[in-house]
Amino acid sequence: MGKLMRLISMAPLFLLLCLPFAFGGHDYNQALSKSILFFEAQRSGYLPHNQRVTWRANSGLNDGKASGVDLVGGYYDAGDNVKFGLPMAFTVTMMSWSIIEYRKQMAANGELGHAMEAVKWGTDYFIKAHPQPYVLYGEVGDGNSDHYCWQRPEDMTTDRHAYKIDPSNPGSDLAGETAAAMAAASIVFRRSNPAYSRELLRHAYQLFEFADKYRGKYDSSITVAQKYYRSISGYNDELLWAAAWLYQASNNKYYLNYLAKNGDSMGGTGWAMTEFGWDVKYAGVQTLVAKFLMQGKAGHHTPVFEKYRQKAEYFMCSLIGKGSRNIQKTPGGLIYRQRWNNMQFVTSASFLATVYSDYLTSYRGSLKCAAGNVAPSELLSFAKSQVDYLLGDNPRATSYMVGYGNNYPRQVHHRGSSIVSIKVNPKFVACRQGYATWYTRKASDPNVLTGALVGGPDAYDNFADERDNYEQTEPATYNNAPLLGILARLAGGHGGYNQLLPVVAPVPNPVIAKPKPAPKPKRTPTPASSSSPITINQKMTTSWNHKGKTYYRYSTVVTNKSYKTLKALKLSISKLYGPIWGLTKSGNSYGFPEWLNSLPAGKSLEFVYIHAASPADVSVSSYNIA
């Protein structure tokens, strides 16, 4: 089976075009492992027994207590000890997206489990922070008082007030991004922990409804966030972003229709972007909607989805310097947007370029830029150039990932890493004492913040490794989150990337090698009795030839012909020699996909499979009609 699946992944229908460069020079697997490890250093709450960053200890154990809610857990966003909800949610969304696209590559590297644990550390906290459908806690701690002190998180004496949004004090951007995070994470856990996945999706539904029904900017309600994470772009991008993720997680057409109906009025089809990050989500929305379009899911929404795709490609073209308004870069070639933590824009944009390259390759399309058509491989080449730069291929020969390579930042603007571990010296470090003793210390951090991606160089590739240079030496969780997917992709090399599967319709106009005589499209009814309320129809939708062997893609539609709801369906499938999408395997039988519990009267479900043989034998083993 493994050999056949590898052959299928190389088939021309989904063929990854040969890239004009060789992966090499950097150990992307090692960089991936380290970048995931960073999230363990950012954990708040009770640390688990398998905690690998051993210089950290429990912290924030009374968070939420004064408000009568348990808010223990979650992540500190950067080098401070505040839990900011908006960037934390974006971090979880991007970690989840990384896993969704490159799960196999992470698994091959042995890091899938660690990546999923990093996501769950965030979503466990969000579940606590969302105690009621229309209540969401969006911050614990106050940036002003926190920044007055330089303390280990284990020693915190600063105010830990919890701030929330509700119908009287709305925050559509915060609730929308958290809905996106929960929906994306529900996909991550769909196979391994279906009950948890369903719980996440339930929270996502409620949060989206809250965000859409009670509209407002979160920093107008949680005003202490304004100085640190002001929502400059407003909330329309987060509403579209959440809808896109909810559609991907649930396949519910309501959210697809929402994207189509509101694309123009909310800016999804209008904003031509050159940035993507925790505040501005438009380029991410446009990339996801372009994916739906390429998957054949747009239906009668195709005209409006094409406008989304045009804006996605505007963004991609601007990255590679072939658009009508190209992004600024340093002399060394790094994306440059701002002095303060520029690296966040590098990783986020590079992630979009990476996935879009794979979408186009699966679709067998090219990027349409002002300068002409561009091969998908150019996008991946660009993303690789950005990653190689931050790992050390730059004018300073500096790795901006702590602990990677030999020349990396040693004086990171980070309270926990810059102060001796409480396990080494448990003596209390007072608020201002930390500044006097540790912040001003001109020496390497006592604790190596392995995997942290710092803010990075200025517009001319200059960088000062100094703890008080917070614009360049402070790391952040949302710097690392998109990097997980890119590193997994680069570590995977030249394998097949079928990012558009499973599809609901054949890829439009595929270029197919002339196959050997193929079996005629045939419909195979279930062997069940003629009185069966279930019909099964199969047909071949496409075929292609690879190395003298012909492969076929079969679509199978199961229809409930009764007047009642079909439940507990079990199918028996024999003579299947390739991969299958759209069903869940349980023992020797197949059941509903994880996102479907029943099939209403008159409704159908579709699944597809690929192999180099005649159609498989599909029959009904058992079912219930309720």
Side-chain angles (χ1 to χ4, degrees):
M1 175 71 81
K3 183 176 180 182
L4 179 60
M5 291 181 71
R6 285 196 295 273
L7 282 171
I8 289 170
S9 74
M10 295 164 60
L13 183 61
F14 312 112
L15 186 63
L16 177 66
L17 301 179
C18 291
L19 302 174
F21 54 83
F23 289 96
H26 285 290
D27 188 338
Y28 300 121
N29 281 313
Q30 182 192 114
L32 174 61
S33 299
K34 291 178 182 294
S35 64
I36 295 174
L37 190 62
F38 166 64
F39 290 99
E40 295 195 18
Q42 297 301 106
R43 285 173 169 171
S44 181
Y46 291 98
L47 301 186
H49 68 279
N50 60 349
Q51 170 81 10
R52 295 177 295 163
V53 179
T54 55
W55 49 265
R56 280 294 323 282
N58 298 337
S59 63
L61 303 184
N62 292 314
D63 284 358
K65 191 173 182 179
S67 301
V69 62
D70 176 9
L71 296 177
V72 177
Y75 287 110
Y76 303 120
D77 72 302
D80 52 25
N81 299 325
V82 185
K83 295 191 295 201
F84 292 101
L86 184 59
M88 193 194 306
F90 178 71
T91 294
V92 170
T93 306
M94 294 308 295
M95 281 198 289
S96 298
W97 197 357
S98 293
I99 295 170
I100 289 165
E101 300 289 354
Y102 303 113
R103 175 186 292 265
K104 290 181 180 179
Q105 290 71 34
M106 289 187 185
N109 187 33
E111 290 297 337
L112 178 59
H114 291 140
M116 292 174 69
E117 286 171 7
V119 169
K120 193 171 185 293
W121 194 266
T123 51
D124 283 351
Y125 172 77
F126 292 144
I127 290 171
K128 293 180 176 183
H130 183 224
Q132 299 172 40
Y134 294 162
V135 174
L136 176 64
Y137 284 84
E139 184 171 328
V140 178
D142 170 13
N144 293 325
S145 63
D146 183 89
H147 286 205
Y148 181 75
C149 298
W150 194 262
Q151 291 176 291
R152 298 176 291 213
E154 295 85 358
D155 284 331
M156 275 189 294
T157 56
T158 50
D159 176 52
R160 301 300 287 174
H161 186 83
Y163 301 87
K164 68 180 179 179
I165 56 172
D166 56 30
S168 301
N169 303 280
S172 301
D173 29 27
L174 174 65
E177 180 60 70
T178 310
M182 299 294 241
S186 76
I187 303 172
V188 169
F189 294 102
R190 183 171 289 158
R191 296 176 186 172
S192 62
N193 193 341
Y196 188 67
S197 173
R198 288 191 294 272
E199 182 180 12
L200 295 178
L201 194 55
R202 179 175 61 83
H203 282 278
Y205 286 138
Q206 292 178 355
L207 285 163
F208 179 82
E209 182 181 331
F210 176 28
D212 195 37
K213 186 174 182 179
Y214 299 99
R215 295 192 184 184
K217 279 179 52 173
Y218 96 104
D219 57 21
S220 296
S221 300
I222 303 178
T223 56
V224 293
Q226 289 181 2
K227 185 178 176 182
Y228 304 95
Y229 290 102
R230 178 185 289 273
S231 179
I232 297 171
S233 71
Y235 54 75
N236 283 334
D237 53 336
E238 276 86 8
L239 288 174
L240 294 172
W241 177 241
W245 277 112
L246 274 160
Y247 174 66
Q248 181 147 315
S250 68
N251 211 31
N252 187 324
K253 291 293 179 62
Y254 172 83
Y255 300 102
L256 193 74
N257 295 336
Y258 187 97
L259 289 164
K261 179 182 176 183
N262 297 289
D264 292 342
S265 62
M266 289 185 173
T269 61
W271 281 104
M273 304 306 303
T274 56
E275 73 169 277
F276 173 58
W278 60 262
D279 180 30
V280 188
K281 315 292 164 49
Y282 283 115
V285 174
Q286 291 154 358
T287 299
L288 281 175
V289 175
K291 177 186 182 181
F292 301 154
L293 181 67
M294 286 185 260
Q295 284 178 308
K297 294 181 176 180
H300 66 280
H301 299 315
T302 295
V304 67
F305 279 23
E306 282 286 1
K307 291 197 285 184
Y308 275 102
R309 180 183 176 180
Q310 288 168 9
K311 290 301 187 291
E313 301 213 338
Y314 179 99
F315 178 81
M316 304 302 163
C317 295
S318 76
L319 294 182
I320 59 176
K322 295 189 176 182
S324 56
R325 182 166 64 99
N326 298 321
I327 59 162
Q328 180 183 347
K329 295 176 185 173
T330 69
L334 186 73
I335 293 173
Y336 186 79
R337 182 152 197 92
Q338 67 182 34
R339 290 185 341 189
W340 189 332
N341 190 16
N342 180 66
M343 205 62 83
Q344 62 180 301
F345 302 108
V346 175
T347 58
S348 294
S350 297
F351 178 87
L352 293 188
T354 300
V355 296
Y356 204 74
S357 170
D358 285 334
Y359 296 164
L360 283 175
T361 300
S362 303
Y363 184 68
R364 299 188 63 81
S366 61
L367 181 64
K368 297 172 179 60
C369 296
N373 287 359
V374 177
S377 57
E378 283 200 38
L379 281 173
L380 192 56
S381 295
F382 167 79
K384 180 180 181 296
S385 75
Q386 299 300 295
V387 171
D388 288 347
Y389 182 109
L390 68 87
L391 291 179
D393 292 358
N394 55 64
R396 296 186 78 259
T398 295
S399 164
Y400 294 104
M401 179 183 286
V402 177
Y404 181 89
N406 297 317
N407 181 25
Y408 55 82
R410 309 280 175 164
Q411 296 186 34
V412 183
H413 184 91
H414 187 276
R415 287 158 175 76
S417 66
S418 67
I419 303 175
V420 65
S421 170
I422 197 169
K423 295 182 179 180
V424 173
N425 184 351
K427 186 176 180 181
F428 175 74
V429 177
C431 171
R432 302 302 290 175
Q433 178 193 354
Y435 274 111
T437 305
W438 296 101
Y439 181 75
T440 57
R441 182 171 169 264
K442 302 299 181 185
S444 298
D445 294 337
N447 310 303
V448 179
L449 193 62
T450 302
L453 187 62
V454 298
D458 67 12
Y460 303 98
D461 302 298
N462 298 313
F463 178 79
D465 184 13
E466 298 165 354
R467 196 167 293 112
D468 60 357
N469 180 19
Y470 54 84
E471 291 183 344
Q472 295 188 330
T473 62
E474 186 171 18
T477 55
Y478 44 89
N479 295 7
N480 278 59
L483 191 57
L484 304 190
I486 316 170
L487 289 171
R489 172 64 176 89
L490 294 176
H494 298 295
Y497 288 82
N498 306 336
Q499 254 49 37
L500 301 184
L501 291 174
V503 294
V504 295
V507 176
N509 302 317
V511 179
I512 306 170
K514 186 176 180 181
K516 293 179 180 179
K520 294 180 180 180
K522 60 183 278 189
R523 297 183 178 274
T524 307
T526 171
S529 69
S530 58
S531 61
S532 172
I534 303 167
T535 62
I536 299 175
N537 290 308
Q538 297 203 72
K539 64 179 179 180
M540 183 191 73
T541 58
T542 193
S543 62
W544 64 95
N545 184 272
H546 179 66
K547 293 187 177 180
K549 196 166 188 177
T550 304
Y551 293 90
Y552 308 102
R553 179 185 183 277
Y554 294 98
S555 165
T556 306
V557 176
V558 180
T559 303
N560 177 11
K561 291 291 189 179
S562 74
Y563 296 103
K564 296 183 179 180
T565 299
L566 174 66
K567 295 184 177 180
L569 175 67
K570 294 295 181 184
L571 298 175
S572 172
I573 304 178
S574 59
K575 298 180 182 178
L576 174 66
Y577 309 109
I580 187 169
W581 296 273
L583 294 176
T584 300
K585 188 172 184 181
S586 177
N588 294 322
S589 62
Y590 294 82
F592 286 127
E594 291 165 347
W595 59 88
L596 192 68
N597 295 319
S598 61
L599 197 62
K603 297 296 184 180
S604 302
L605 70 86
E606 179 187 20
F607 64 90
V608 299
Y609 59 91
I610 294 172
H611 66 193
S614 298
D617 291 340
V618 182
S619 60
V620 177
S621 296
S622 61
Y623 61 88
N624 290 328
I625 293 290

